[in-house]
Amino acid sequence: MDENNKKIARDFIRQAVLEDLESGRFSYVHTRFPPEPNGYLHIGHAKAILIDYGVARDFNGKFNLRFDDTNPVKEDTEYVEAIKEDMRWLGVDWEDREFYASDYFEQLYEFAVKLIKKGKAYVDDLSPEEIREYRGTLTEPGKNSPYRDRSVEENLELFERMRAGEFPEGSRVLRAKIDMASGNINLRDPVMYRILHAEHHRTGDKWCIYPMYDFAHGQCDSIEGITHSLCDLAYESHRPLYDWFLDELEIFHPRQIEFARLNLSYTVLSKRYLKRLVEEGHVNGWDDPRMPTLAGLRRRGVTPEAIWNFIEDIGVAKTESVVDMALFEHHIRKDLNLRAERRMAVLDPVKVVITNYPEGQVEYLEAINNPEDESAGTRQVPFSRELYIERTDFMEDPPKKFYRLAPGREVRLRYGYFVTCTDYEKDADGRVSVIYCTYDPETRGGFAPDGRRVRGTIHWVSAQHAVDAEVRLYDRLFTKADPMDFDAEAGEDFTDFINPDSLKVLTGCKLEPSLAKAQPGDRFQFERVGYFCMDPDSRPGAPVFNRTISLRDTWAKISQRK
């Protein structure tokens, strides 16, 4: 193996692909991502997408987007469009190769007819409950259906009548005839087609029988010339069935390879449970910034690059494990630290009056946009007699190691001057309402000519120029690392562990005036506070910012200790 191939073959999937190319099993690489349009994509799907797409890219191959739209009861064009939007946002390009399993319904039907004619499929009249009963268990073999030995002619006639809509839902299915005693339960005469009298989002009422995923999956791969069908480990036991269909149909045979799906702490990565969160009103839609959906992460301010880097870091494994949410948060912070411009914002404001600063005077101070990116340049921030600072940056009777503003104490205003607290006022509720200070005009820029030092530096916003805003502080949606670890028999549910503080809405926040020009989706670091993204709910003169993540990085500290 040459050095270039060694770099490409950095995980077991790429090693297998390279071996297939070197052995001549395949002469090209073609992968696909086959989402079901029954919900929005989440971060777990991102791992699958980036593996599928990354393998095709690394081997100069092709990549298809193919919607597995075989269940019209749960599918919707809203989900189709959302999936495409999310994948484009990730930077995935499927060019003109956008396909649907429904594109192949006629061909899949003909494949089923071929298996019937070979004596490898039959129409079964057992009810769904009876089919489950006849299937057996993991330790006990199944038993044959009394309809298993129908003649080819009878099966063809019944299957054609199923297609014609002559039978009610649940009355008949088409099953593969394999082995009811197989140790692999997936080979115990699996259902290939079921009757569904439902409107399909693309084919309308043309069909009333629909293929099961296990039947459609491999045949769609074959039709499209997919070389490597990359799936999560849940499909490992389905691989013999995948191979059986392809071999019996004697068509092009892709190779299925399984990898461990992404499991992330403090969240759920199941569309079924995510849908419940939406439908039961625990969150405000699929794109709620607390959701692990790509739409939610985008609205929260997470970048595609952070997701790519996170997926690359966790790698491709063959065994299931749970990734600590702190690692994902670490990559979000690391990415935003490099790209987010800095701004000053006061979320819980209290007014400061600089008594010796000239009334009506405004001066502009130079502030650095991003210390990690010299090309980001600087901006001008207005400074005036009246300012806002964070309420937590002032204490009447501070403890010994409190280095911010207090009576008689001097602090540095970020990019500005040294100020000293001389007095303060309280309102009728006993809360500090105004803080009075004096400033040293010789300390502009935050440095004293006499060399004296101050321990604390605080941020501020000019009251005269401040932009009023709503700020939404988002946190983890669940309080428990594994929300699915609940006792259903005791009446517990995963929703019992929803974090009541996962969203706090702050109004009357004060932002520096440059943020008035921000657009939805723009990301910033609010100095000393965290990373924020402008929300689509923003209106002219009424901006809304979502907290992407706080500044503190626990994962980096844990890693350093290790």
Side-chain angles (χ1 to χ4, degrees), residues 49-204:
I49 292 168
L50 299 183
I51 289 174
D52 291 329
Y53 183 64
V55 167
R57 179 198 58 194
D58 289 352
F59 289 94
N60 297 314
K62 295 180 180 180
F63 170 82
N64 290 5
L65 168 59
R66 180 179 72 242
F67 289 95
D68 171 36
D69 56 344
T70 56
N71 187 354
V73 175
K74 297 183 178 180
E75 297 159 1
D76 196 284
T77 52
E78 173 196 350
Y79 300 135
V80 171
E81 295 306 315
I83 288 169
K84 291 194 288 186
E85 181 181 1
D86 288 343
M87 291 180 66
R88 290 190 188 101
W89 176 70
L90 279 177
V92 174
D93 182 8
W94 56 94
E95 299 176 298
D96 61 346
R97 291 181 296 278
E98 180 180 317
F99 304 112
Y100 297 78
S102 55
D103 293 338
Y104 313 124
F105 277 175
E106 191 66 46
Q107 197 162 355
L108 291 171
Y109 179 83
E110 292 302 325
F111 283 150
V113 168
K114 182 176 180 178
L115 291 177
I116 293 173
K117 289 179 177 180
K118 289 183 67 175
K120 297 294 183 179
Y122 63 97
V123 174
D124 193 1
D125 295 2
L126 291 179
S127 68
E129 294 74 22
E130 290 171 326
I131 289 175
R132 282 193 291 272
E133 181 185 342
Y134 275 56
R135 185 178 290 129
T137 66
L138 293 175
T139 56
E140 296 291 333
K143 59 182 180 179
N144 291 347
S145 165
Y147 306 98
R148 195 174 193 265
D149 295 324
R150 278 174 163 156
S151 68
V152 168
E153 292 73 23
E154 185 180 5
N155 283 318
L156 288 172
E157 179 195 1
L158 288 172
F159 190 47
E160 186 176 343
R161 291 173 64 190
M162 284 172 61
R163 175 176 179 169
E166 294 186 23
F167 307 121
E169 288 188 16
S171 61
R172 284 187 164 93
V173 294
L174 182 71
R175 298 177 68 178
K177 186 186 289 188
I178 307 179
D179 181 6
M180 290 302 294
S182 173
N184 185 335
I185 204 164
N186 295 300
L187 296 178
R188 295 180 188 175
D189 292 10
V191 174
M192 296 165 55
Y193 271 88
R194 76 285 207 200
I195 301 171
L196 287 174
H197 293 285
E199 189 87 1
H200 190 278
H201 71 102
R202 295 185 76 241
T203 61

Side-chain angles (χ1 to χ4, degrees), residues 26 28-35 52 56 61-70 87 94 96-105 107-108 111 202 213 215-230 242 246 251-255:
F26 302 112
Y28 63 94
V29 173
H30 200 157
T31 64
R32 86 291 171 269
F33 176 63
D52 291 329
K62 295 180 180 180
F63 170 82
N64 290 5
L65 168 59
R66 180 179 72 242
F67 289 95
D68 171 36
D69 56 344
T70 56
M87 291 180 66
W94 56 94
D96 61 346
R97 291 181 296 278
E98 180 180 317
F99 304 112
Y100 297 78
S102 55
D103 293 338
Y104 313 124
F105 277 175
Q107 197 162 355
L108 291 171
F111 283 150
R202 295 185 76 241
Y213 180 78
F215 181 64
H217 178 200
Q219 282 57 262
C220 290
D221 285 347
S222 180
I223 292 167
E224 294 176 9
I226 300 302
T227 57
H228 296 87
S229 177
L230 309 178
Y242 181 93
L246 293 169
I251 54 179
F252 177 75
H253 196 140
R255 179 181 181 183

Side-chain angles (χ1 to χ4, degrees), residues 41-44 267-269 274 288 290-294 296-297 477:
L41 298 179
H42 54 64
I43 184 68
T267 192
V268 293
L269 295 180
L274 294 177
D288 187 301
R290 292 168 291 180
M291 290 279 274
T293 56
L294 298 184
L297 293 171
L477 185 56

Side-chain angles (χ1 to χ4, degrees), residues 413-428:
L413 296 178
R414 180 80 160 140
Y415 303 117
Y417 296 93
F418 288 9
V419 295
T420 303
C421 176
T422 58
D423 200 1
Y424 59 92
E425 292 180 4
K426 292 184 176 183
D427 60 20

Side-chain angles (χ1 to χ4, degrees), residues 432-486:
V432 174
S433 56
V434 183
I435 301 167
Y436 295 98
C437 294
T438 58
Y439 87 116
D440 182 347
E442 300 299 319
T443 58
R444 179 178 167 132
F447 300 97
D450 60 8
R452 75 181 187 277
R453 297 180 179 276
V454 293
R455 298 289 296 270
T457 299
I458 63 175
H459 64 282
W460 51 274
V461 173
S462 168
Q464 177 185 340
H465 304 87
V467 174
D468 288 324
E470 175 183 308
V471 173
R472 300 169 181 173
L473 301 180
Y474 289 100
D475 204 344
R476 294 176 180 177
L477 185 56
F478 293 97
T479 57
K480 189 174 183 179
D482 183 6
M484 300 312 297
D485 179 22
F486 60 87

